Amino acid sequence: MDVDTIWMDGEFVDWEDAQIHVLTHGLHYGTGVFEGVRLYDTENGPAIFRWEEHLDRLYQSTKPYDMEIPFEPEELTEATLELLRRQDLEAAYVRPIAFYGYDTLGVSPGDCPTNVAIAAWPWGAYLGEDALENGIEVMVSSWRKHSSSQIPTNAKTTGLYVNSLLAGEEARRNGYREAIVLNKEGNVAEGPGENIFLVRDGEIFTPGLSESILDGITRNTLITLAEERGYEVHDNVSISRGELNTADELFFTGSAAEVTPIRQVDNVEIGNGSRGPVTEELQEAFFDLVERRTDDHDEWFTYL
Ligand SMILES: Cc1ncc(COP(=O)(O)O)c(C=O)c1O
């Protein structure tokens, strides 16, 4: 990777020195919380998109685990900005993580410290450049998402991503680009690392927060952009599996996946089998926004 520095527990260290002990609690039990954030090379210079919301979600994610991040949010913001500046990054993916460190290996974290690190590196389109334009084929995974009564799905916890890996890799083994994961009730939850939207008869639907999903920041962005363009957005609904097949359009959203059209589910074409017009309009609105070809929502940007 073309970057050489990581911020770790209050200091900038060389990439290869950002090491932890093999008996780190978070490694054994998945007790970490993290974020995935994008720095965009905007018309007004490099800017982090919705940093405040990501930072807020990072701290919120610690709550079920009684984890205390030993830094103030302002310190993490300063560290991130300095990290990006030091490495001359203009467009990048930013990964803050906090996890229970090394002390005891009981499941109870006891006196384990909370370690914190921030890394950033250039990262292109998550599901491939062609995916943004042509859409992707997905499969409905045979793995269900854990119910939020089993594990809080609104906290972005490292351990949760074992489920994402199972679903995503199952899909790729079967020749698909990505998975859709149903929740315990059998309704549509989300992708392994994306929220999902459905378009039908000119209206927009996305599973509600009680459907075992992550409260995605890109999801919130898309809801806002769609409503501003006059669309009716139903963001507190259950979506059955069958509704995927009869949708006019489907798309994923996420900080990594941005706005990615879905053109087939389980080999059945969605709409006309390519990026639909509503998806295209909202995708264009999204990229105009994040690359600052519009003045709208400047409050969502933290400039370097
Ligand atoms: C499981 C899951 N759902 C949804 C999302 C999308 O969230 P956001 O738009 O905040 O990146 C992500 C990505 O972080 C995710 O991992």
Side-chain angles (χ1 to χ4, degrees):
M1 262 186 253
D2 200 18
V3 279
D4 54 15
T5 307
I6 287 186
W7 182 91
M8 206 173 165
D9 297 324
E11 283 170 40
F12 292 97
V13 298
D14 287 344
W15 188 275
E16 53 274 18
D17 295 334
Q19 310 260 355
I20 54 169
H21 197 276
V22 73
L23 297 184
T24 293
H25 195 278
L27 174 65
H28 291 252
Y29 305 121
T31 49
V33 299
F34 69 105
E35 279 301 318
V37 193
R38 274 193 192 263
L39 172 79
Y40 283 98
D41 185 14
T42 84
E43 307 253 310
N44 311 331
I48 312 179
F49 182 52
R50 305 203 70 175
W51 172 252
E52 293 299 329
E53 291 83 352
H54 282 283
L55 196 58
D56 186 53
R57 190 170 66 186
L58 183 74
Y59 281 86
Q60 292 295 337
S61 293
T62 62
K63 298 230 167 118
Y65 305 103
D66 203 17
M67 178 186 284
E68 269 204 39
I69 294 181
F71 296 94
E72 295 301 321
E74 298 74 31
E75 292 176 284
L76 297 192
T77 301
E78 258 324 298
T80 302
L81 292 173
E82 177 62 18
L83 178 75
L84 294 167
R85 289 189 195 113
R86 278 187 186 210
Q87 302 190 93
D88 284 333
L89 285 165
E90 290 171 341
Y93 184 78
V94 186
R95 166 56 57 84
I97 182 167
F99 54 94
Y100 278 127
Y102 167 65
D103 183 72
T104 169
L105 263 191
V107 171
S108 167
D111 289 331
C112 287
T114 300
N115 294 118
V116 188
I118 305 166
W121 62 88
W123 213 10
Y126 181 61
L127 295 165
E129 273 302 331
D130 68 305
L132 293 175
E133 197 173 320
N134 301 319
I136 56 171
E137 311 82 41
V138 304
M139 90 176 252
V140 176
S141 178
S142 67
W143 294 102
R144 294 286 175 90
K145 180 108 192 193
H146 11 249
S147 145
S148 46
S149 65
Q150 295 167 312
I151 183 161
T153 53
N154 59 338
K156 197 168 163 62
T157 311
T158 57
L160 281 176
Y161 285 80
V162 173
N163 179 259
S164 294
L165 177 149
L166 287 169
E169 293 308 293
E170 177 190 36
R172 285 180 276 279
R173 269 198 305 278
N174 283 284
Y176 301 86
R177 195 81 68 93
E178 188 59 301
I180 291 175
V181 191
L182 306 180
N183 62 24
K184 203 160 153 265
E185 290 70 39
N187 293 320
V188 176
E190 57 184 353
E194 307 89 359
N195 291 113
I196 189 166
F197 283 75
L198 181 154
V199 182
R200 193 174 56 226
D201 297 332
E203 295 184 12
I204 297 175
F205 302 81
T206 191
L209 297 182
S210 53
E211 299 295 308
S212 300
I213 64 165
L214 184 73
D215 185 1
I217 292 162
T218 323
R219 174 183 182 274
N220 174 274
T221 303
L222 261 287
I223 292 170
T224 307
L225 293 179
E227 286 178 342
E228 285 172 355
R229 278 153 189 78
Y231 287 102
E232 180 127 13
V233 183
H234 308 271
D235 62 359
N236 194 17
V237 292
S238 297
I239 296 177
S240 67
R241 178 174 181 168
E243 287 175 90
L244 293 173
N245 300 116
T246 55
D248 297 330
E249 303 178 30
L250 292 174
F251 60 89
F252 276 141
T253 64
S255 300
E258 299 172 305
V259 181
T260 301
I262 298 170
R263 62 185 185 85
Q264 274 186 12
V265 177
D266 293 331
N267 293 321
V268 177
E269 282 195 353
I270 304 304
N272 64 4
S274 61
R275 175 174 59 185
V278 177
T279 307
E280 187 170 357
E281 181 189 350
L282 295 177
Q283 198 185 40
E284 200 176 301
F286 177 80
F287 283 108
D288 281 349
L289 175 84
V290 295
E291 286 161 14
R292 303 314 290 133
R293 287 188 291 274
T294 159
D295 294 333
D296 292 354
H297 297 295
D298 212 41
E299 72 280 5
W300 282 346
F301 292 84
T302 304
Y303 291 94
L304 295 201

